[in-house]
Every structure is written in structure tokens, then in C-alpha cells.
Amino acid sequence: MGLVVQDPNVGRNGAGAAELVVVANRLPVEHDEVEGWRRAPGGLVSAMDAVLRDREATWVGWGGHPADDPDAAAGGPPERVGTVALVEVPLTAAEVTAHYDGFANRALWPNYHSGIVASTYHRSQFQVHREVNARFARAAAGVAAPGAVVWVHDYQLQLVPAMLRQLRPDLRIGFFLHIPFPPLELFSQIPWRVQIVEGLLGADVVGFQTRDAALNFRRAAERFADVALTAEGLAVGRPPRPVVVRAFPIGIRAADFRALAEDADVQRRAKQVRADVGEPDVLLLGVDRLDYTKGIDVRIQAITELLLDGELDPAGTAFIQVAPPTRAKVEEYQQIRAEVELLVSRANGTLGPLGTNPIHYMHQPMPPEELVALYQAADVMLVTPLRDGMNLVAKEFVASRVDGAGALVLSEFTGAAEQMDRAWLVNPHDIEGMKRTILAAIHEPRASAEARMAALRAGVARHDVHWWAEDFLAAVRGAAAVPGEDAGGTDPA
Ligand code: G6P
């Protein structure tokens, strides 16, 4: 299957003209039968969308549907979204099954998220995964101008940096992993650990969400590749080539969230949300893709126990759990959906007199205005994943609380916890501890609660998505321009 090149910037002599190329598994748009081409889901797209808003760039990615699906959108994605030219890498249904549903989401995703569910490794899937990565590398090589910066994203495309370097040694290549990088004992289980490490080491800069993830990768590289540790990262091969390895914690579009939160319609809607769920004394909120990594089940269990024990009043408490569908073809996602839905209906069926349904579960995507209204309506936001690379919901909630109120309960096992230590940190495996912390967050006196939120809000505003992207791009430009020197800046707090 050939590459569909729709970028007007593509040069005629084979080399491209794009000075900045983003390579990600998904394009920033996906096709919906009703809405047409709309924004694709996930934190990666949301972050890069903001970063590229006023920047000329070319985005290489998959359109979100199999190219040989008879229902696939005729004509492919739009040529551009704002300043960004789109280049689609089509995948057949068989490739989507093997590369995306299979290797990326049943081998890599669970392994990188602490093995919460078991990974399954299939040689045939890795084969397809490698071919798909090669196609992405060729597409990027075809559109990049001489000496261009190419920014490769996430676990689905870890083989791309080395493939790209081989095709185009002139390029400056950055790779950023949006999810955790596992400890050595876990990573070592992957049959293709050497290929993955070598793939990533093709970049000039390999960026992670946290210092722990960067450390884990340095250990994996030391074990499985020909590298020497340096102050900035690694020296790779002979003669040694420097690779910067460090944390670049991703931020959010803080100003956009603040602006939405200040919008009068959104504020009216926030009041209406509380009315819609019966004007509770306490409104708890969870917002997560319906993923087994997010700890939605343990959160529901903790709240249900508090309601059953009478520590929270079923008539005065509402819990809204927004959990949009995700990766619905993957078995483990079907299982977590069934579990969550059983827990919700069990809890509501058991609790309270007629008319009391404390848990409001919404299995649907949510537009940003509605999301911010929910953030503003909540008393306590529950972000309790078992493992998460960063978790942008925690930051979005904080940025949306322009009223200074609200409380954030945050899992220690998120990247966000490294920066947001003024949140109510919890271990989601410790259900009693979580229950105690939820109660403490609900009952905290107003002055100290506001002090926490003010500190959190200042951090989220300062270390926003633009700060993150500038830091990363400066590292890529600097690292390649002055070989042997780290231009990575200071390690962020
Ligand atoms: C996470 C990953 C992204 C991914 C997103 C949505 O944020 O880090 O790479 O795009 O989830 O998942 P999906 O499988 O729908 O692309």
C-alpha cells in the first residue's frame, strides 16, 4: 500500500520542504459518520494541536480507520488543519489489528503500565508493527526538508527514530514517550527489547514524562545496547554519538482552560450540572478514557463503601464518572467496561431510597465546554490511576478552577504526582487509605484547601504545554547543532 501524500509542501525531487515534522500514530483528526472529520481523542493530540496552532508544520499519522474498510471516509483527511499540513499513512484492517490493537495495545501498553493486565506477545504482530513503523519513517523522510526537525511521538512508533536516521542522517530527530517507561525487570520481558532500545537510540533526544522513566530507559539502554552513560544521557555506538535522555513533563493548554472557565455560559452550565444531579452537598468527579490503567473500578468501590458505611450520605452525595469509549476492539477494554458497568449498577441498585442514584456514569465523549463545566461543578476531582504517564485531567481540573475552590485527589502512580505534590496524594491499591483521603479532601477547611489549589494552579499555568514544547524543541535543535553538548536546559521541578 503506497503512501498518500497530500502535503503541498512536499518537494518534487523526493526531499520534502517541511522544517518541522510531527510523526504520531494518529493524525489530529479522525472521521465520524455524523460529524465528519473531527479532532482525534487523547492527550497527545490535544497537546500537539495547541503547540502547532501558530506554527508551520507537517503532521504524519494514521487517519483512525482501516483504509480498506468500505465505510472509511472517501477522499481521506483534509489537506491542512490551520497551519499544519496532514500526511496520511494508511493502514489496512489487518495492519490495524496487528499493529494497533495487537502489538501497541496488547503487548506494549500493558507492559509499560506496570503489567496491570498481562501482555501478549505475538511474533506475527511484531512483524507487522515493524513494517508499519518503517512506513511512517519513509513518510517522514519524504516530507522533511534538509536538516529539518522531526518530532516522533509515543509507544506505537518507537522503531521510527533509527529507521529515519538511516534514511535521512541529516535530520534532527526527537522522540517523546507520553506513557511510562517500565523498570528493567518488566521491560526485559519483551522479546524485542533490543530492537526497541535501538529504535529509540536513533533519536538525538529521547524525552520522558518523569525522571524515573528516563532513569529506567538509561538502565535498559545500558543493558541492551552499546552505550556509555554520560551526564546528559548516553553516548551511543562507535564513534560515540550523544543522545540526550531526560524528563520533559508535558503541560496543558492552561490559558485555554482558564478562558473557558471564565466564560459566562460555561459557568451557568456548571451550576446547572449540580442541579441536574439533585443539588448534592458533595459532588465527586472522575474523567478518564475507559482504560483499565485508570483505576475507575477501585474508585467506584471506594465511593460505594463510603456510601454504604454512611460516611457519605447517599442522599447528599453525587459522583459523576465520565468514561468515554476507547480501543473497544481490544478484549481487556471490553472487560473493564463490563466490570465498571456492573459496579455502577450494583452500587446504584443497593443504595438509598427510590430516586437516589448517587453514581452518574457517562460512556460518551465530552466536548471541552461541558468538561470544564463539570470541572467547575465538582467539589473533589478523583484522579486515581494505577499507572499513568502524566494524566492531563488533573492539570485541566486545576486550571479550570478560576474560583479557587475544589480539591484534587491524585494517584502517586501518575507522572503528574511528581509535579503536583500539593494535591491529596493516594495509593489506589490501598482502598482504606483512599477512602480516608477522599473524606479528608471533602472536609478540609476552606483556607488551606484554597492555598493548595492556588499553588497547584500556579504550577500548571507556568509549566504549560508551550513551555514543554519549547523546552523539547530547544533540546533537539541544540543537541544536534553542537554535537557532544547538552542543550537540554535545567531539569524541571
Ligand atoms: C494515550 C496515548 C496516545 C493515544 C491516546 C488515545 O494518551 O499516549 O498515544 O493516542 O492515549 O488512545 P488511542 O488508542 O485512541 O489513540
Side-chain angles (χ1 to χ4, degrees), residues 26 41-44 100 105 109 154-156 178-179 289 326-327:
R26 277 183 186 279
L44 186 167
Y100 172 74
N105 288 321
W109 180 271
D154 230 357
Y155 63 102
Q156 307 93 340
H178 290 253
I179 69 174
R289 283 183 308 103
T326 180
R327 304 175 193 164

Side-chain angles (χ1 to χ4, degrees), residues 67-349:
D68 49 355
D69 176 351
D71 295 333
E79 281 187 11
R80 307 185 74 84
V81 177
T83 55
V84 181
L86 305 185
V87 175
E88 185 188 11
V89 180
L91 302 180
T92 64
E95 287 168 341
V96 173
T97 303
H99 154 76
Y100 172 74
D101 294 326
F103 195 73
N105 288 321
R106 295 197 75 190
L108 294 175
W109 180 271
N111 178 287
Y112 281 32
H113 287 85
S114 305
I116 295 166
V117 305
S119 287
T120 47
Y121 301 112
H122 293 292
R123 287 164 285 182
S124 57
Q125 288 182 348
F126 181 72
Q127 193 62 33
V128 176
H129 175 72
R130 189 165 49 195
E131 283 160 18
V132 168
N133 270 244
R135 193 175 308 150
F136 273 83
R138 284 197 300 275
V143 295
V149 166
V150 181
W151 188 351
V152 185
H153 291 262
D154 230 357
Y155 63 102
Q156 307 93 340
L157 301 179
Q158 294 174 107
L159 309 178
V160 168
M163 292 170 165
L164 191 54
R165 177 167 298 278
Q166 204 166 26
L167 292 168
R168 292 284 306 272
D170 60 301
L171 298 175
R172 291 173 288 179
I173 304 170
F175 178 90
F176 184 76
L177 186 72
H178 290 253
I179 69 174
F181 192 88
L184 191 58
E185 309 82 76
L186 213 49
F187 180 74
S188 304
Q189 293 175 3
I190 301 175
W192 304 280
R193 58 203 185 181
V194 171
Q195 287 92 326
I196 292 172
V197 167
E198 285 177 350
L200 292 172
L201 290 175
D204 296 297
V205 175
V206 185
F208 297 91
Q209 298 279 26
T210 64
R211 283 186 284 257
D212 279 347
L215 214 60
N216 288 343
F217 176 68
R218 281 161 65 110
R219 290 188 66 203
E222 233 189 328
R223 174 73 65 87
F224 298 118
D226 177 17
V227 300
L229 296 184
T230 64
E232 303 79 29
L234 300 165
V236 180
R238 269 158 253 188
R241 182 173 59 80
V243 176
V244 174
V245 176
R246 73 168 174 92
F248 298 83
I250 196 169
I252 59 156
R253 300 173 289 131
D256 290 356
F257 278 91
R258 200 165 50 239
L260 263 183
E262 278 162 358
D263 184 287
D265 285 340
V266 172
Q267 293 187 355
R268 257 193 302 278
R269 176 69 192 130
K271 290 209 176 72
Q272 186 58 44
V273 165
R274 288 191 82 102
D276 288 350
V277 294
E279 296 290 1
D281 304 324
V282 178
L283 177 52
L284 307 168
L285 175 66
V287 175
D288 317 78
R289 283 183 308 103
L290 186 38
D291 196 306
Y292 54 81
T293 57
K294 302 290 185 181
I296 302 171
D297 44 352
V298 279
R299 189 183 313 160
I300 294 173
Q301 198 185 329
I303 294 167
T304 305
E305 286 186 17
L306 288 170
L307 291 164
L308 284 171
D309 297 350
E311 289 181 279
L312 287 175
D313 171 13
T317 305
F319 170 42
I320 303 177
Q321 175 63 56
V322 179
T326 180
R327 304 175 193 164
K329 294 217 172 87
V330 179
E331 194 182 311
E332 290 78 10
Y333 288 77
Q334 295 163 4
Q335 276 165 12
I336 187 67
R337 179 178 178 191
E339 271 166 46
V340 163
E341 293 182 354
L342 187 68
L343 286 170
V344 170
S345 60
R346 248 191 216 157
N348 281 337

